[in-house]
């Protein structure tokens, strides 16, 4: 397929940076940059296995050559082994919030994987305390809002997921953890395996926010089954929804947002180029989506890099970008007051650029 490349002018880049953005698909463990990784390994006296790239440069080369999702995950789980203390989790999250704020991201809903830490003997209290303190400090220091979403690792048995949900009870009760997601290797572990986990959390907290990774490597039925069996109200990735007209119609009618991750999809070879993603199709069919960075330390870019990459392939105009920004706000899990504030900021930025773009 021949792709058109659009220019992202300096003016457009400034607009995209200032445009209020919300991030809904971001794994905090996936923001672990090689410099922080090696710093924490040293701080915690951790010896990485001999197969792990020994320098920052070699890490970066490895990141340019993931063969697929599983190859990435194999590296990712070793990398997160340097996270041990509350301070480590705090430093990790603060580094992300600092970068996201600089990119014009005003509201983030961020994932973490407790099972990846519990199995290494790190308690849930250590993980959540570090992350939640960073959330509070980001709010105070940057004026941004954020929410924590706990994810279950789908390559582990659902019984394990049930235990984690039970142990996180007090955090859901206090609103420190806002939602539940499902990540890791998708294809061999369809959503229906986790029906009981989602049902358990819903029975305890009927208003809890639910999402799941689906339709990245799995086909579009993974998206349908996540909606029908897990009762999620958002889908992470969901690119394979493009293969079903009836599913796209449903996503549009029910305003179920897809959290797309363009640069991640290229790095993990879901598509060869951002231009092959159905982003224009979704926009045309009224399927709401947001644009996100997934695991930015590994996939070559934070949220603004993803916006710019989409622009260079689709050349959207100001009105289309405004729609994308508003869809991200509307699909967020913040309260109506915050959404209203963000919508007003979108109007302000768009008015500033309407005559120059
Ligand atoms: Zn993801």
């Amino acid at each position: 397929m021949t792709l058109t490349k659009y220019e992202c002018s300096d003016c457009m880049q400034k607009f995209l940076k200032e445009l209020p953005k919300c991030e809904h698909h971001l794994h905090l463990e996936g923001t672990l940059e090689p410099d922080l990784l090696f710093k924490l390994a040293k701080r915690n006296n951790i010896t990485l296995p001999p197969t792990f790239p020994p320098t920052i440069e070699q890490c970066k080369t490895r990141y340019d050559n993931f063969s697929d999702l599983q190859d990435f995950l194999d590296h990712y789980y070793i990398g997160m082994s340097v996270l041990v203390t509350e301070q480590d989790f705090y430093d990790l999250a603060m580094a992300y919030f600092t970068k996201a704020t600089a990119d014009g991201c005003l509201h983030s809903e961020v994932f973490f994987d407790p099972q990846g830490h519990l199995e290494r003997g790190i308690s849930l209290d250590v993980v959540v305390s570090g992350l939640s303190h960073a959330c509070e400090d980001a709010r105070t220091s940057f004026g941004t809002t954020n929410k924590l979403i706990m994810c279950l690792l789908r390559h582990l048995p659902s019984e394990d997921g049930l235990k984690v949900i039970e142990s996180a009870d007090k955090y859901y009760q206090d609103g420190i953890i806002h939602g539940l997601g499902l990540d890791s290797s998708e294809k061999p572990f369809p959503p229906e395996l986790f029906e009981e986990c989602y049902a358990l959390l819903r029975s305890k907290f009927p208003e809890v926010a639910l999402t799941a990774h689906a339709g990245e490597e799995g086909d579009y039925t993974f998206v349908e089954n996540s909606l029908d069996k897990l009762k999620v109200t958002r889908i992470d990735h969901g690119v394979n929804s493009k293969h079903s007209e009836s599913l796209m119609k449903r996503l549009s009618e029910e305003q179920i947002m897809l959290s797309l991750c363009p640069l991640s999809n290229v790095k993990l070879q879901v598509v060869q180029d951002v231009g092959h993603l159905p982003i224009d199709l979704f926009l045309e069919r009224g399927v709401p989506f947001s644009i996100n960075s997934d695991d930015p330390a590994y996939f070559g870019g934070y949220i603004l890099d993803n916006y710019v990459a989409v622009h260079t392939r689709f050349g959207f105009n100001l009105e289309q970008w405004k729609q994308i920004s508003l869809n991200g706000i509307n699909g967020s899990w913040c309260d109506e007051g915050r959404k209203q504030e963000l919508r007003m900021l979108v109007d302000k930025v768009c008015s500033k650029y309407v005559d120059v773009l």
Side-chain angles (χ1 to χ4, degrees), residues 25 27 111 183 213 216 236-237 261 294-295:
H25 189 151
H27 302 268
F111 300 132
D183 61 8
H213 283 49
E216 177 190 18
D236 301 313
H237 290 300
C261 306
D294 205 359
D295 297 282

Side-chain angles (χ1 to χ4, degrees), residues 275-328:
H276 293 152
L277 288 166
I279 293 178
D280 48 350
L281 176 72
F282 289 156
L283 196 62
E284 191 188 300
R285 300 293 163 86
V287 175
F289 62 84
S290 60
I291 295 172
N292 308 272
S293 61
D294 205 359
D295 297 282
Y298 296 91
F299 298 154
Y302 284 77
I303 188 167
L304 182 58
D305 301 306
N306 278 272
Y307 270 66
V308 170
V310 168
H311 189 80
T312 61
R313 286 302 185 240
F314 295 96
F316 291 138
N317 61 31
L318 182 134
E319 276 308 311
Q320 289 169 310
W321 276 118
K322 183 176 181 181
Q323 190 59 54
I324 292 168
S325 175
L326 290 173
N327 286 346

Side-chain angles (χ1 to χ4, degrees), residues 39-59:
K39 187 177 146 192
L40 296 183
K42 198 171 168 202
R43 187 155 95 186
N44 294 318
N45 288 318
I46 287 172
T47 309
L48 292 159
T51 49
F52 199 86
T55 65
I56 291 176
E57 277 317 305
Q58 282 167 290
C59 261

Side-chain angles (χ1 to χ4, degrees), residues 134-151:
C135 288
E136 283 164 30
D137 285 357
R139 188 175 185 132
T140 313
S141 304
F142 308 133
T144 54
T145 45
N146 45 64
K147 294 194 179 292
L148 284 178
I149 303 168
M150 180 174 96
C151 281

Side-chain angles (χ1 to χ4, degrees), residues 20-286:
K21 290 173 283 298
C22 301
E23 182 142 68
H24 308 103
H25 189 151
L26 183 285
H27 302 268
L28 283 170
E29 293 89 345
T31 68
L32 183 57
E33 294 284 350
D35 54 349
L36 183 60
L37 190 154
F38 288 114
K39 187 177 146 192
L40 296 183
K42 198 171 168 202
R43 187 155 95 186
N44 294 318
N45 288 318
I46 287 172
T47 309
L48 292 159
T51 49
F52 199 86
T55 65
I56 291 176
E57 277 317 305
Q58 282 167 290
C59 261
K60 286 180 179 162
T61 307
R62 171 86 173 96
Y63 298 175
D64 283 335
N65 293 287
F66 292 128
S67 59
D68 58 13
L69 178 61
Q70 193 55 53
D71 185 34
F72 156 66
L73 289 170
D74 291 343
H75 177 90
Y76 178 75
Y77 292 124
I78 297 172
M80 70 161 76
S81 69
V82 302
L83 297 161
V84 178
T85 65
E86 186 179 327
Q87 185 68 44
D88 300 338
F89 287 95
Y90 178 91
D91 291 348
L92 175 77
M94 268 320 264
Y96 162 69
F97 288 128
T98 305
K99 288 197 180 75
T101 305
D103 270 1
C105 178
L106 304 187
H107 176 75
S108 315
E109 298 174 2
V110 294
F111 300 132
F112 68 104
D113 288 322
Q115 287 155 299
H117 310 301
L118 291 169
E119 65 184 11
R120 301 184 290 112
I122 314 294
S123 76
L124 189 62
D125 290 344
V126 163
V127 179
V128 176
S129 296
L131 300 181
S132 62
H133 284 140
C135 288
E136 283 164 30
D137 285 357
R139 188 175 185 132
T140 313
S141 304
F142 308 133
T144 54
T145 45
N146 45 64
K147 294 194 179 292
L148 284 178
I149 303 168
M150 180 174 96
C151 281
L152 300 181
L153 295 175
R154 63 204 308 160
H155 64 269
L156 296 178
S158 64
E159 294 73 34
D160 208 74
L162 290 170
K163 277 191 218 149
V164 178
I165 289 170
E166 291 285 8
S167 65
D169 218 77
K170 65 176 173 181
Y171 296 117
Y172 280 104
Q173 191 82 49
D174 295 345
I176 291 173
I177 303 179
H178 189 79
L180 181 71
L182 184 63
D183 61 8
S184 184
S185 330
E186 182 187 359
K187 248 183 168 173
F189 307 103
E192 48 273 27
L193 294 175
F194 297 88
E195 215 171 328
E196 211 184 326
C197 295
Y198 278 70
L200 172 69
L201 189 63
R202 276 201 322 275
S203 71
K204 288 166 178 278
F205 306 102
E207 302 298 317
V208 70
L210 300 174
T211 186
H213 283 49
E216 177 190 18
E217 290 190 332
D219 66 29
Y220 71 87
T221 63
F222 280 58
V223 175
E224 292 179 331
N225 288 334
S226 298
L227 296 171
D228 295 333
K229 301 198 165 143
L230 306 183
K231 313 285 182 204
V232 300
T233 56
R234 179 186 295 169
I235 294 289
D236 301 313
H237 290 300
V239 286
N240 284 334
S241 307
K242 70 178 179 186
H243 296 295
S244 166
E245 283 296 333
S246 63
L247 175 57
M248 284 196 288
K249 190 161 178 276
R250 177 180 179 186
L251 296 172
S252 169
E253 282 174 1
E254 297 179 22
Q255 287 294 287
I256 293 160
M257 187 172 71
L258 306 179
S259 65
L260 303 179
C261 306
L263 292 175
S264 157
N265 290 159
V266 174
K267 267 281 163 85
L268 298 185
Q269 312 202 23
V270 174
V271 288
Q272 282 185 335
D273 190 284
V274 168
H276 293 152
L277 288 166
I279 293 178
D280 48 350
L281 176 72
F282 289 156
L283 196 62
E284 191 188 300
R285 300 293 163 86

